[in-house]
Amino acid sequence: MTVPERRIRPGRRFDLRATAMFFGLTAVGLSVVGWVVRMALDVAERRPAWAVVLVLGGVAAGIVCLRRRAGFSPGRLARRATGALEEATATALDALEAPTAAPAEEAHGIEESATEAVVDHERLSPDEFEQAIADLCVRDGCAEVEVVGGAGDLGADVVAVAPDGRRVVIQCKRYDDENKVGSQDLQRFGGTCFTVHGADVAVVVTSSDFTAPAAEYAEQCGILCVNESQLRDWSEGLGPPPWAPSDLVEEEAEAADRYPR
């Protein structure tokens, strides 16, 4: 009986270069995988939110791959994975964001609340104090408001035109409680406010108070004095501006006496 001859398929010849390349690429791949795992652990430790995002993205990509057993399309898979990752990122960030109360801000002595702005005038610099008075003039309807204080101002720090057309000239004295405006300050201002600056309404505003001689001189010369208490009421809208008609000022004073705060 004739025995058919078995064909022996020739084995693949050993290729040293291909084997070395295979192991080299394997080592590189393992190094990359190790580096990725290490970076992932570092990110998970420093930023847990991003770790949650990456895990959700991986799960979403895995679900997409399982559902697409047939008709696999790398382009579609990439688009779906990207969309899932974006959705997971938005969800994670929304979960991490919690409503926090805004801290109270204090800048240049200005404390802002939800309803009004209260100014601590003693904490302002002289220039900021002048600007704060000018802002009050603008708020209360004055026109042509200008801060003119500085060297050679001859006593005028803020000039404006009142709503009734009178020219208002204001000198600002940003003093602390221990330093009151004296009669010499009033005399210097009284010598220029009417003759030089042409004031219809001359006002001295201070963050402190006036001495008795200063108040007496101001009354004789027709200069209006606004001390710290009156300035606070003006600033908070509880009192009239200095250029208000005298009958309105008297009504405000009577109302304050009748209904004390």
Side-chain angles (χ1 to χ4, degrees), residues 209-253:
D209 206 344
F210 298 87
T211 64
E216 183 179 353
Y217 175 85
E219 185 177 0
Q220 293 175 354
C221 297
I223 300 174
L224 302 177
C225 294
V226 178
N227 61 16
E228 185 272 336
S229 177
Q230 295 166 323
L231 174 59
R232 184 174 63 251
D233 289 344
W234 179 24
S235 177
E236 296 177 8
L238 303 176
W243 56 83
S246 57
D247 54 349
L248 177 59
V249 175
E250 291 176 359
E251 290 177 4
E252 292 281 348

Side-chain angles (χ1 to χ4, degrees), residues 65-76:
C65 290
L66 290 176
R67 287 184 177 179
R68 298 293 298 174
R69 293 181 179 177
F72 176 76
S73 172
R76 290 182 180 178

Side-chain angles (χ1 to χ4, degrees), residues 106-235:
E106 293 188 9
H108 303 296
I110 299 178
E111 300 175 355
E112 294 188 359
S113 64
T115 57
E116 61 181 3
V118 180
V119 180
D120 185 0
H121 294 96
E122 288 188 5
R123 297 182 59 185
L124 301 178
S125 69
D127 291 341
E128 291 170 340
F129 185 65
E130 294 175 4
Q131 185 60 53
I133 301 304
D135 292 340
L136 289 176
C137 295
V138 173
R139 185 199 70 182
D140 290 345
C142 286
E144 301 178 20
V145 179
E146 187 178 0
V147 178
V148 295
D153 58 17
L154 297 178
D157 294 320
V158 177
V159 296
V161 176
D164 58 7
R166 291 178 297 165
R167 179 173 175 80
V168 180
V169 178
I170 303 175
Q171 184 178 73
C172 303
K173 293 292 185 182
R174 206 280 298 156
Y175 289 165
D176 55 30
D177 291 335
E178 299 178 356
N179 188 14
K180 295 183 178 181
V181 181
S183 60
Q184 291 184 354
D185 296 322
L186 267 296
Q187 290 172 20
R188 281 192 291 267
F189 181 60
T192 60
C193 59
F194 297 109
T195 58
V196 176
H197 300 294
D200 297 314
V201 181
V203 186
V204 178
V205 180
T206 181
S207 57
S208 178
D209 206 344
F210 298 87
T211 64
E216 183 179 353
Y217 175 85
E219 185 177 0
Q220 293 175 354
C221 297
I223 300 174
L224 302 177
C225 294
V226 178
N227 61 16
E228 185 272 336
S229 177
Q230 295 166 323
L231 174 59
R232 184 174 63 251
D233 289 344
W234 179 24
S235 177

